[in-house]
Amino acid sequence: MKEIDWSKLSFGYMPTDYNVRIYNREGKWGELEVSSSETINLHMAATCLHYGQEAFEGLKAFRGKDGKIRIFRLEENAARLQSTCKGILMAELPTERFKEAVLKVVKLNERFIPPYETGASLYIRPLLIGTGAQVGVKPADEYLFVIFVTPVGPYFKGGFSTNPYVITRKYDRAAPHGTGTFKVGGNYAASLRASKEAHDAGYSAEFYLDAKEHKYIDECGAANFFGIKNNTYITPLSSSILPSITNKSLMQLAEDMGLDVERRPIPEEELSTFEEAGACGTAAVISPIQRIDDPENNHSYVISKDGKPGPISTALYNKLRAIQYGDEPDVHNWVTIVE
Ligand code: PLP
Ligand code: COI
């Protein structure tokens, strides 16, 4: 294998040795299969190709100073995948089968897990698709669950540093009673134009408001939002955002650190009151927010006056990473060690 320069990894695809697959036929999940092929053989009328029966997940494995491999909150990802499958009428994979597949694919690709010192990790990408043929708009009768892995570095260039975001009203990511709480491919297709326009204009990502009134904060690109003020961690309560496992973890860590935690609708104007703010997710970890521009109203909410991450975001980031890499005790039982 060509030597990997771990310190130069970005958030991109790199082939690894194996992926794992489980087929659902006649309503039953089969045995786990190991594959070294990067392609999938699909029926041209598969429902994932026409009617968007596609779900995915994202989680990470970390190599600790002690050499052990730790996977973060995999049961939460299993549960969210089940929720997504309920949301678009796909066969649900039991948590035990999800866990079996994650452990197997990580173990098989052990040599791709970046060394501790690099701060990089192994991104684990499960997907579940309708493979059965249909022409009428209905759920498939066959499904395929696949997991591939790929080593990744920071999602945003510069890693833990502040970035600018831009509010979009031109495009919505998800409707109030739509599929925003599910991790389905369609939500990401719906975000591509907003994301491209934000990037082309020099922003880190697009910033969504609620689709009904464009009054409240929803999400930032493929990450949840949190703001900090008066020793309080505040994050949106919304029916159109993805329930982020990172955000859920940060709420717990904030509480552990003695902060109050509020989950409630956040009006856009409240952005001017935050002492710190960040985008959070598996890929983004915490990406501190420098400012959020609202070009349509010719306004800019500057969050970080000195351009640096704030002290509470920094403490939360360090705490989360320390648990993930095994530098600090896993008091909440979030980590699965790969034996
Ligand atoms: N919001 C969206 C739209 C996402 O795609 C992600 C990534 O998974 C998140 C939030 C963060 O979720 P998590 O922390 O579970 O990765
Ligand atoms: C994640 O944080 O895992 C994401 O899903 C973000 C993006 C790559 C879709």
Side-chain angles (χ1 to χ4, degrees):
M1 169 171 97
K2 223 173 82 218
E3 281 290 303
I4 299 173
D5 188 347
W6 304 107
S7 63
K8 294 220 170 64
L9 284 177
S10 61
F11 193 89
Y13 178 80
M14 175 190 295
T16 52
D17 289 337
Y18 300 102
N19 57 83
V20 296
R21 306 172 181 207
I22 309 178
Y23 289 88
N24 184 294
R25 297 193 179 102
E26 292 169 2
K28 286 198 193 69
W29 289 105
E31 292 296 311
L32 182 115
E33 296 175 23
V34 174
S35 171
S36 52
S37 166
E38 289 174 88
T39 63
I40 294 170
N41 199 5
L42 262 187
H43 194 291
M44 62 187 174
T47 60
C48 64
L49 298 176
H50 300 261
Y51 303 130
Q53 272 201 309
E54 191 274 345
F56 70 100
E57 272 301 328
L59 62 163
K60 280 175 174 172
F62 305 85
R63 193 185 295 281
K65 212 186 270 174
D66 55 8
K68 289 189 181 155
I69 304 159
R70 289 172 174 79
I71 303 172
F72 191 66
R73 304 202 80 170
L74 69 84
E75 292 86 358
E76 290 284 334
N77 291 91
R80 191 170 63 191
L81 180 61
Q82 289 154 10
S83 159
T84 300
C85 287
K86 279 196 186 81
I88 57 167
L89 301 187
M90 299 205 290
E92 284 174 52
L93 186 74
T95 302
E96 274 316 303
R97 301 302 313 275
F98 183 90
K99 191 167 176 177
E100 169 198 352
V102 170
L103 292 176
K104 182 82 179 176
V105 74
V106 169
K107 192 83 193 145
L108 285 169
N109 293 290
E110 204 174 330
R111 69 190 182 100
F112 293 96
I113 306 175
Y116 170 78
E117 306 74 45
T118 62
S121 57
L122 187 74
Y123 187 68
I124 304 167
R125 171 53 66 83
L127 56 141
L128 199 156
I129 55 175
T131 50
Q134 296 287 10
V135 178
V137 182
K138 357 182 218 286
D141 51 10
E142 292 193 353
Y143 293 88
L144 169 61
F145 174 69
V146 181
I147 310 183
F148 69 80
V149 296
T150 197
V152 293
Y155 189 58
F156 294 122
K157 274 204 290 290
F160 192 68
S161 55
T162 64
N163 284 301
Y165 290 75
V166 63
I167 291 174
T168 170
R169 286 187 192 77
K170 199 164 142 199
Y171 308 109
D172 298 314
R173 173 186 170 273
H177 301 287
T179 54
T181 56
F182 306 125
K183 206 159 166 69
V184 296
N187 295 340
Y188 298 80
S191 77
L192 290 174
R193 285 184 299 175
S195 168
K196 182 175 187 317
E197 288 179 19
H199 285 124
D200 287 352
Y203 294 99
S204 194
E206 72 283 16
F207 200 95
Y208 294 104
L209 303 175
D210 76 284
K212 190 174 173 194
E213 297 184 274
H214 288 161
K215 258 170 93 171
Y216 300 96
I217 295 163
D218 253 2
E219 298 199 74
C220 356
N224 274 184
F225 171 86
F226 70 85
I228 308 272
K229 65 176 175 185
N230 308 326
N231 206 42
T232 309
Y233 180 102
I234 305 165
T235 193
L237 181 67
S238 160
S239 63
S240 49
I241 64 175
L242 192 76
S244 156
I245 296 160
T246 311
N247 196 4
K248 188 173 174 181
S249 309
L250 293 174
M251 285 187 250
Q252 179 65 58
L253 296 178
E255 201 183 302
D256 294 351
M257 284 164 47
L259 273 78
D260 291 325
V261 173
E262 290 177 11
R263 232 177 125 210
R264 58 168 171 81
I266 305 176
E268 181 198 330
E269 313 74 68
E270 197 176 339
L271 287 174
S272 63
T273 67
F274 290 120
E275 296 151 16
E276 302 179 30
C280 64
T282 298
V285 194
I286 287 180
S287 182
I289 296 177
Q290 196 265 323
R291 63 172 208 278
I292 302 159
D293 288 351
D294 184 357
E296 283 151 281
N297 288 324
N298 209 6
H299 189 73
S300 180
Y301 300 95
V302 178
I303 311 263
S304 170
K305 309 269 180 305
D306 63 0
K308 295 198 187 103
I312 294 176
S313 308
T314 305
L316 285 168
Y317 175 86
N318 288 338
K319 188 79 192 174
L320 179 70
R321 301 273 287 178
I323 295 171
Q324 292 174 330
Y325 283 92
D327 294 333
E328 285 189 31
D330 174 27
V331 294
H332 296 293
N333 255 320
W334 286 344
V335 163
T336 303
I337 296 185
V338 183
E339 301 297 346

